[in-house]
Amino acid sequence: MNVKESLEPLLNVLLENPTWKTDIEMQGLYIEILKENYPETLEKLRKLVNRKQVELVSAHYSDQIYVAYPRYDLLKSIDINDKILEENGLKRSNVFLTQENFFTPAVTKVIKEKGYDIALINHTYYDYFHKIDPEKIKPLYKLDKLYIVMSGPESQWLIPLKENGIQWVWWWYDDGEPLMTLHGPYSFEKFKHTKLKEDRMKIILSGLERQGYRLETISNFVKEIVEKGYRPEKLKMPLEGAWNMKRCEGVYRWMGHYHNPWELDVQIRSLTYTSRKYVLAAEKLIKNVKDTWINTESLEKLLEEAWRFQLRAECSDPTGWSPKPNEVGYSITMARLAQYYSLKIIEDVKKELRYEKILIDTWTGEIKEIKEMPKKYRKTSLPIQLEYIGTKPSISSYLVEENVYLIKYSFKPQEKYAGFMIPIKTSKIYYSRALAEEELYELDLDSYDFDHVYLPLTNGLISFTEQDFIIKNNEKMHIAAKIDKNLMKIGFIVENAPQQLVFDWEFYYVKGNKEKALKKALEINVYPKLIV
């Protein structure tokens, strides 16, 4: 339905009007669906890409909320995606845009090595961090060595922008499905192509051409103005977010806000961290035994499937704006399949090695047989003060090692907002930005215009003093952390969660230097150990 009612009519219009160029964002999984079910539509897309009328923007295999997971997952996704594009005779562009326009400034550490040098962001995203008049948007910005093109808000579409002799205008920067349909794809019976919307598009684009505008791709736009000597302005540093910051509150819409009674935001995001651990462990295990007598060819095929399931489990829609029950089930199913395939690999290798129980360290790659399970931690009194929000939790605390405590926080929501908060004692916060989980970033709250912000914390780490750190265990509570500038507090809070749900959260409190806290966060969430 999506293909025949929205994509194909758009491709037909473009084929009829060869001077109309555009960018279309599409993930590798969608290309596979086209190949399997709509080969004639895929051929039309291929023709438009080959004649450089359509610039294919493709940055992941699945519509992932990539800012909620470590960098390795996005790199893996890009590799799988590029392979699919190559197999289908499609060349992607150098433009980076992902599902929901998720963005992190640390993306500069990833996309240059993968052949991207332009990224798209939305005005409402940037304006959340640094107020900017939409009429004063520049044609181009620079973030490190990355070119940034910022779209105007929808209210500014078709209103010309001018800067240094350059005049440009936006018409569409949004989901493609409603472009020529009356309703979006969630209105199944009403999601139909309409000639009214198609004619409207033709009138608008023809009118722009008559006014002297060229309908261009993003990369051509950037190339032309740079060659003419335009010097892009340095972009002020934003944080992680998405394209409608006021409505979605950054990543919180996908990591803590429960819109429907069947939603499982935190549970799903946590489950995908568990399945990720198994996939990483299987990958390390194969690498470890590859040069032995064990034939790994079939295992490597299973691993590729496991990664595909994992990346599909990381899809944003199952915890997004208003997910349907089948979308919620989709992510759970994909995560379980990723874990199942990975466990099959692990058990097959264990059998070959004649090990009953092994420990796999996904950081060092060490594989060793173990005879006894690790000793349990000693129970202690709670080492920090927590402010309980909307619940009466059951709490227990354990000493893991010197100045490192494991805290278990179990509760049922009793109010609209439920969880806990911790006072911040400084305006400077240390955390690791998405895609840069091995580095600490000093966040100066006074440098930003927001009242509060939600951060995904892919390695779980955030400070509340220069010597005190929380590390959420993302397998137990992968929820976005709220920083409230007015209250000067950090919060881990679910909103609208059904009161029958039980949340069994775990997090670590680390007292000491930043390097120790960062190493612990990486061990827990990015490169975990698995005992099977």
Side-chain angles (χ1 to χ4, degrees):
M1 181 182 290
N2 181 297
V3 174
K4 289 298 182 181
E5 300 297 334
S6 61
L7 176 63
E8 187 154 10
L10 172 61
L11 299 182
N12 289 338
V13 170
L14 293 172
L15 287 167
E16 294 166 5
N17 297 273
T19 61
W20 295 359
K21 296 182 180 180
T22 190
D23 288 68
I24 296 178
E25 188 274 328
M26 196 175 292
Q27 77 276 23
L29 181 58
Y30 194 89
I31 298 296
E32 289 186 320
I33 292 170
L34 290 180
K35 178 183 178 181
E36 184 70 24
N37 301 286
Y38 306 96
E40 69 287 348
T41 307
L42 179 59
E43 180 55 38
K44 290 179 181 180
L45 176 64
R46 188 183 295 114
K47 182 177 181 179
L48 288 164
V49 171
N50 287 341
R51 73 187 195 187
K52 298 183 179 180
Q53 187 179 347
V54 164
E55 181 164 74
L56 187 59
V57 178
S58 193
H60 42 33
Y61 163 66
S62 169
D63 276 342
Q64 298 146 246
I65 172 172
Y66 79 88
V67 293
Y69 297 90
R71 179 174 64 251
Y72 187 69
D73 296 33
L74 179 59
L75 292 173
K76 201 76 180 178
S77 185
I78 292 172
D79 287 343
I80 292 173
N81 190 62
D82 284 351
K83 182 180 178 182
I84 292 169
L85 296 180
E86 183 179 358
E87 289 172 349
N88 286 279
L90 291 167
K91 183 179 180 181
R92 68 161 165 85
S93 70
N94 56 336
V95 179
F96 184 86
L97 172 73
T98 68
Q99 170 80 340
E100 303 289 359
N101 211 166
F102 290 122
F103 192 78
T104 167
V107 78
T108 57
K109 298 181 179 298
V110 170
I111 64 179
K112 288 291 286 186
E113 68 180 86
K114 293 298 181 182
Y116 302 93
D117 56 15
I118 302 168
L120 301 178
I121 63 173
N122 180 267
H123 166 268
T124 56
Y125 158 77
Y126 186 72
D127 184 66
Y128 189 85
F129 301 108
H130 306 288
K131 296 299 180 186
I132 179 173
D133 185 339
E135 295 183 1
K136 295 182 179 179
I137 293 175
K138 307 292 184 183
L140 194 62
Y141 296 86
K142 205 77 179 285
L143 181 64
D144 194 11
K145 296 181 180 180
L146 182 68
Y147 289 117
I148 302 290
V149 178
M150 185 188 304
S151 80
E154 187 174 348
S155 60
Q156 294 292 115
W157 290 356
L158 297 177
I159 297 177
L161 295 166
K162 299 178 182 180
E163 168 83 10
N164 288 0
I166 303 168
Q167 182 168 312
W168 73 105
V169 65
W170 288 91
W171 175 52
W172 195 270
Y173 186 89
D174 206 337
D175 291 339
E177 290 91 348
L179 185 59
M180 288 193 287
T181 60
L182 286 175
H183 298 273
Y186 283 95
S187 302
F188 298 114
E189 69 284 352
K190 297 179 181 179
F191 182 59
K192 300 290 184 183
H193 169 258
T194 171
K195 195 170 185 304
L196 182 68
K197 294 283 285 286
E198 180 177 323
D199 289 344
R200 175 177 175 267
M201 171 183 164
K202 290 177 179 178
I203 290 169
I204 290 172
L205 297 184
S206 297
L208 288 172
E209 277 195 319
R210 285 195 298 271
Q211 294 175 51
Y213 287 99
R214 277 186 289 118
L215 306 179
E216 267 297 357
T217 62
I218 295 294
S219 64
N220 282 348
F221 171 73
V222 172
K223 183 174 183 289
E224 184 170 327
I225 65 174
V226 169
E227 287 178 349
K228 288 182 176 180
Y230 183 79
R231 293 187 176 183
E233 182 175 301
K234 184 179 179 181
L235 192 76
K236 291 182 181 179
M237 192 64 70
L239 302 175
E240 295 92 330
W243 65 357
N244 198 328
M245 291 292 290
K246 290 182 179 178
R247 281 188 62 204
C248 66
E249 296 192 282
V251 296
Y252 189 56
R253 176 69 62 176
W254 297 268
M255 300 181 67
H257 182 276
Y258 289 63
H259 182 77
N260 293 315
W262 52 78
E263 276 192 57
L264 296 167
D265 278 27
V266 179
Q267 292 83 349
I268 284 176
R269 294 298 152 214
S270 301
L271 174 63
T272 55
Y273 256 76
T274 297
S275 58
R276 178 183 187 274
K277 177 174 69 176
Y278 278 82
V279 177
L280 286 176
E283 187 172 63
K284 288 293 183 182
L285 192 56
I286 289 175
K287 186 176 181 180
N288 192 281
V289 302
K290 190 174 178 64
D291 295 328
T292 68
W293 74 92
I294 299 175
N295 186 343
T296 61
E297 185 177 350
S298 62
L299 300 180
E300 288 170 359
K301 290 179 180 178
L302 284 176
L303 179 63
E304 183 176 351
E305 289 303 309
W307 265 116
R308 286 174 178 247
F309 286 130
Q310 175 62 29
L311 296 171
R312 290 166 73 176
E314 294 177 12
C315 177
S316 68
D317 287 344
T319 61
W321 293 96
S322 183
K324 304 296 183 185
N326 62 311
E327 290 180 302
V328 174
Y330 172 85
S331 195
I332 295 171
T333 301
M334 294 299 112
R336 293 299 188 197
L337 285 168
Q339 185 171 337
Y340 174 81
Y341 274 57
S342 301
L343 193 55
K344 176 73 166 63
I345 294 168
I346 294 168
E347 292 297 339
D348 284 355
V349 174
K350 277 173 57 181
K351 187 176 180 180
E352 289 287 340
L353 296 174
R354 297 184 180 180
Y355 288 169
E356 288 189 13
K357 194 175 292 293
I358 60 172
L359 182 146
I360 305 169
D361 188 328
T362 64
W363 194 340
T364 65
E366 180 187 13
I367 312 294
K368 66 179 181 180
E369 185 178 20
I370 60 171
K371 301 296 184 182
E372 297 179 356
M373 295 297 288
K375 294 180 180 179
K376 293 183 178 180
Y377 303 133
R378 178 169 61 85
K379 200 166 186 178
T380 68
S381 58
L382 190 65
I384 55 173
Q385 185 175 357
L386 304 175
E387 179 184 345
Y388 311 146
I389 305 295
T391 188
K392 295 178 180 178
S394 170
I395 306 175
S396 52
S397 176
Y398 304 86
L399 180 65
V400 177
E401 58 187 78
E402 186 179 4
N403 292 326
V404 178
Y405 298 84
L406 168 63
I407 299 170
K408 297 185 178 184
Y409 190 94
S410 181
F411 69 97
K412 281 187 175 183
Q414 296 175 338
E415 298 177 12
K416 180 178 180 180
Y417 300 97
F420 67 88
M421 300 190 82
I422 302 173
I424 304 171
K425 299 179 181 179
T426 171
S427 63
K428 287 185 170 58
I429 303 292
Y430 293 96
Y431 85 106
S432 295
R433 297 177 296 179
L435 303 188
E437 61 271 0
E438 294 172 349
E439 302 174 4
L440 278 177
Y441 177 71
E442 183 180 280
L443 167 58
D444 184 355
L445 296 178
D446 295 332
S447 299
Y448 292 88
D449 294 331
F450 55 72
D451 293 324
H452 67 274
V453 68
Y454 287 90
L455 301 174
L457 306 186
T458 58
N459 67 6
L461 178 67
I462 192 166
S463 69
F464 56 98
T465 78
E466 288 200 2
Q467 295 292 317
D468 295 281
F469 301 85
I470 290 293
I471 304 171
K472 62 188 175 85
N473 180 351
N474 285 345
E475 286 191 58
K476 297 293 185 179
M477 54 175 293
H478 195 21
I479 181 174
K482 179 181 182 180
I483 301 178
D484 192 314
K485 281 174 61 176
N486 295 330
L487 297 177
M488 285 300 287
K489 293 178 181 179
I490 294 173
F492 298 89
I493 299 169
V494 292
E495 180 179 349
N496 291 331
Q499 294 189 2
Q500 69 269 23
L501 282 181
V502 177
F503 292 86
D504 291 316
W505 288 358
E506 290 184 5
F507 63 94
Y508 293 79
Y509 163 58
V510 179
K511 187 173 183 62
N513 62 57
K514 296 186 285 289
E515 291 73 22
K516 177 181 179 179
L518 177 59
K519 184 174 184 292
K520 198 69 183 175
L522 293 172
E523 289 174 350
I524 294 166
N525 291 310
V526 182
Y527 307 107
K529 294 182 176 72
L530 175 66
I531 297 175
V532 183

